[in-house]
Amino acid sequence: SVKSPINNFKILFSAYVAENCHKNTETLIYELFRDIPILIYMACTKNTSIIFQNYSNYFGKNFLINYLGTENIDNDIIEAFEKFLILHAEHEQNASTFIVQACEMTGSNLLNCMLAGVTAIEGNYHGGASEQAFFQLQNCDNLEKLVECAKSNNCKIAGLGHRIYKAIDPRAAILKEMCEKINPGSVILQRAINLENLISKDEYFKTRKIFPNIDLYSGIFLESIGIPPNLFIMVFILARFVGWIAHYKEIQSKKIKIIRPHQLYQFSD
């Protein structure tokens, strides 16, 4: 159903893998950039009628025009959406990228590796995080109470903290500016800004280096241009395909052998 776009996409993409897996890598890369925006659009809407598909330019535009059902979209929105995809395309050794690399090391083909990445990105702690952050802000009438709850370890604030960044996620700062430009009157945007202001003055968060990450503002941006929360992860997948392909090519070119992590068991009585 349309309520389960990620499942729709896995079904569509599995069929795509079966039909195209015999092709060489370079051909597949070109065709993926052409086809993925349309496959994701179809998964989101269950619609097969294509309004716009330009093979040489506008990776994100192919999805956005078809999803919104019109070519009459403000250029500022299209440019902002393309920037959004760039911000989400690549972020080093995140979970789904590592899975793509691990699959490539086994000798699996490009499409199978991409399908593995889609499966890995699905969790709430990875691709689903922006949806979690959006709903938490949407349902929160008392930010001070939410902050105190987090400080007492009784709840987690989605969209804050990062394993790598010990200051504000630079992608979050850019997205915040984009949100303010596209929809400055958004109630949820103002809550996110208020939350950021609260934690920036609080010693608990400052000493623990907990600052906004990209998920705090990414859902707010997507909702402001007409993409609902259940499709946030689909846009994340659209963007991250680019990064996955780049990492696949890197591992392939270096002929890296299979990584086999060691395990150390600790036995207890």
Side-chain angles (χ1 to χ4, degrees):
S1 71
V2 177
K3 292 182 179 179
S4 303
I6 185 71
N7 291 331
N8 293 340
F9 180 72
K10 284 190 289 187
I11 292 169
L12 283 170
F13 193 60
S14 294
Y16 186 91
V17 170
E19 185 176 340
N20 293 280
C21 62
H22 64 283
K23 297 178 180 177
N24 68 62
T25 298
E26 296 305 319
T27 298
L28 282 172
I29 289 173
Y30 175 82
E31 293 184 354
L32 279 171
F33 286 134
R34 179 194 69 192
D35 297 336
I36 286 302
I38 300 304
L39 287 174
I40 289 179
Y41 150 72
M42 290 167 62
C44 291
T45 63
K46 299 194 76 175
N47 192 343
T48 58
S49 60
I50 308 302
I51 297 174
F52 176 92
Q53 188 170 18
N54 184 316
Y55 294 168
S56 59
N57 295 296
Y58 302 116
F59 180 71
K61 188 176 181 180
N62 279 334
F63 168 78
L64 198 60
I65 286 179
N66 283 290
Y67 177 73
L68 296 178
T70 177
E71 292 189 61
N72 187 27
I73 303 175
D74 191 292
N75 284 334
D76 287 343
I77 291 178
I78 292 175
E79 289 178 10
F81 186 65
E82 293 281 348
K83 185 182 291 187
F84 178 95
L85 295 179
I86 291 170
L87 291 174
H88 287 77
E90 155 63 12
H91 204 239
E92 298 182 353
Q93 289 298 310
N94 54 82
S96 57
T97 297
F98 174 74
I99 294 299
V100 169
Q101 292 175 317
C103 284
E104 197 285 333
M105 292 173 198
T106 70
S108 190
N109 66 49
L110 173 65
L111 293 181
N112 284 332
C113 294
M114 297 300 105
L115 185 56
V118 171
T119 303
I121 207 171
E122 192 174 351
N124 288 338
Y125 300 120
H126 191 12
S130 60
E131 183 179 350
Q132 297 294 311
F134 181 86
F135 281 133
Q136 190 170 55
L137 285 171
Q138 185 181 57
N139 298 323
C140 180
D141 295 323
N142 190 327
L143 291 174
E144 289 81 3
K145 185 176 180 180
L146 179 64
V147 167
E148 291 305 317
C149 180
K151 289 165 67 174
S152 62
N153 293 319
N154 290 327
C155 64
K156 176 178 172 59
I157 303 178
L160 297 184
H162 198 277
R163 293 282 296 276
I164 303 299
Y165 297 121
K166 301 309 175 186
I168 185 171
D169 184 335
R171 301 169 301 167
I174 295 171
L175 270 176
K176 178 182 175 181
E177 292 181 5
M178 289 165 56
C179 290
E180 290 174 323
K181 181 178 179 181
I182 296 296
N183 188 14
S186 167
V187 173
I188 299 181
L189 171 60
Q190 191 55 56
R191 284 182 184 172
I193 293 172
N194 291 343
L195 175 62
E196 182 178 344
N197 291 336
L198 275 175
I199 66 166
S200 68
K201 301 171 185 175
D202 194 304
E203 287 300 317
Y204 177 91
F205 295 93
K206 289 166 66 176
T207 56
R208 289 166 176 77
K209 302 186 184 302
I210 299 174
F211 299 95
N213 62 46
I214 195 170
D215 298 313
L216 186 64
Y217 291 103
S218 61
I220 298 171
F221 171 80
L222 291 176
E223 194 266 346
S224 72
I225 65 171
I227 297 174
N230 70 321
L231 301 187
F232 291 172
I233 190 172
M234 301 307 301
V235 179
F236 192 5
I237 291 171
L238 176 64
R240 194 50 63 91
F241 251 88
V242 178
W244 290 341
I245 290 171
H247 279 280
Y248 177 93
K249 285 284 290 177
E250 180 183 33
I251 296 294
Q252 186 184 57
S253 66
K254 294 182 178 179
K255 297 181 172 60
I256 297 175
K257 296 180 180 179
I258 295 176
I259 293 174
R260 186 182 178 89
H262 291 288
Q263 288 181 307
L264 295 176
Y265 291 94
Q266 182 175 342
F267 296 94
S268 59
D269 296 334

